[in-house]
Amino acid sequence: MYLLLLCSLSVAAIAIDRFLFYRRARAGLQPFLTLLPGILREHSLEKLRELFQQERHAAGFLAEAGVSAACEGKDAELALDTSYTIAAMQLRSKLNYVSMVVTMAPLLGLLGTIFGMIDSFSIFNLQAGQPLAITGGIGEALIATATGLCVAIFALLVHTYFSQQLDKLLSDLDLAAAVVLSELKRKKGDKGHAA
């Protein structure tokens, strides 16, 4: 039961951490994505780098990496891919632990039940003729299974919610990366025609 309590507290702590992290990663993201094509067309690369450094969300981090690479004459597509990988890794962080609790909590509950039943049957061996001692012990042992299932259900709900949030954020990052790369290629093409 103590392990199940630890599991549930861990899931709650991870849920709070991920909620705050995802909220920061999304703050101002949708307006930024709406305005991004126009911003990229209107400003020079140096000005874009300054603007994107002020953004505190995941798409701003991604756009700043691509524009910085273009400013320095490096491969913008590689910089965008690298930044996307880093952002995705940070967004996925700790979700595997919640997934592990989903699987582990019922197993811990069953283990507790088995230990409880072993204790119940050892009472039976010592005190023959007392069936209430056995049934009371089995009922108490089943509490571990019920607790394990409750912890697993809680962890599953948390995991599903944050997986959905992760998918939304990664879709937004894909969109931002595509827009930035497209506009950087257009700017490079315009410079080539001007020369």
Side-chain angles (χ1 to χ4, degrees):
M1 291 296 282
Y2 290 117
L3 287 174
L4 289 171
L5 177 63
L6 181 64
C7 286
S8 63
L9 291 175
S10 298
V11 170
I14 290 170
I16 292 167
D17 174 71
R18 293 291 85 192
F19 178 78
L20 295 173
F21 184 80
Y22 281 26
R23 192 169 76 177
R24 279 192 309 270
R26 271 195 320 260
L29 179 65
Q30 291 307 319
F32 177 78
L33 289 175
T34 304
L35 299 172
L36 184 59
I39 292 170
L40 286 163
R41 276 188 225 106
E42 292 171 10
H43 299 288
S44 69
L45 290 177
E46 287 299 327
K47 179 67 175 168
L48 288 171
R49 181 165 31 183
E50 288 175 27
L51 289 172
F52 294 154
Q53 283 174 345
Q54 296 169 7
E55 298 293 335
R56 294 287 174 234
H57 46 73
F61 166 73
L62 194 73
E64 193 269 326
V67 168
S68 291
C71 285
E72 296 165 9
K74 297 178 181 173
D75 187 352
E77 188 170 2
L78 178 62
L80 286 167
D81 286 344
T82 303
S83 298
Y84 179 88
T85 302
I86 290 168
M89 184 179 68
Q90 290 174 344
L91 290 168
R92 285 189 182 105
S93 176
K94 300 177 186 162
L95 290 183
N96 285 338
Y97 296 121
V98 177
S99 179
M100 179 189 70
V101 170
V102 169
T103 305
M104 190 173 66
L107 296 176
L108 288 172
L110 287 172
L111 185 62
T113 298
I114 289 168
F115 284 140
M117 292 181 100
I118 289 170
D119 284 346
S120 293
F121 285 113
S122 66
I123 289 172
F124 179 65
N125 288 336
L126 293 174
Q127 301 171 354
Q130 291 187 349
L132 291 178
I134 297 171
T135 55
I138 291 172
E140 193 175 308
L142 289 175
I143 292 172
T145 300
T147 304
L149 291 173
C150 289
V151 171
I153 290 167
F154 171 60
L156 181 62
L157 291 173
V158 168
H159 188 268
T160 302
Y161 173 78
F162 286 113
S163 293
Q164 181 65 29
Q165 296 301 311
L166 173 67
D167 289 344
K168 285 182 191 174
L169 276 164
L170 291 180
S171 295
D172 288 342
L173 291 181
D174 281 334
L175 176 63
V179 169
V180 169
L181 189 60
S182 168
E183 287 299 321
L184 289 177
K185 285 181 179 178
R186 189 186 62 75
K187 282 185 180 289
K188 190 175 181 180
D190 289 349
K191 280 185 181 178
H193 291 309

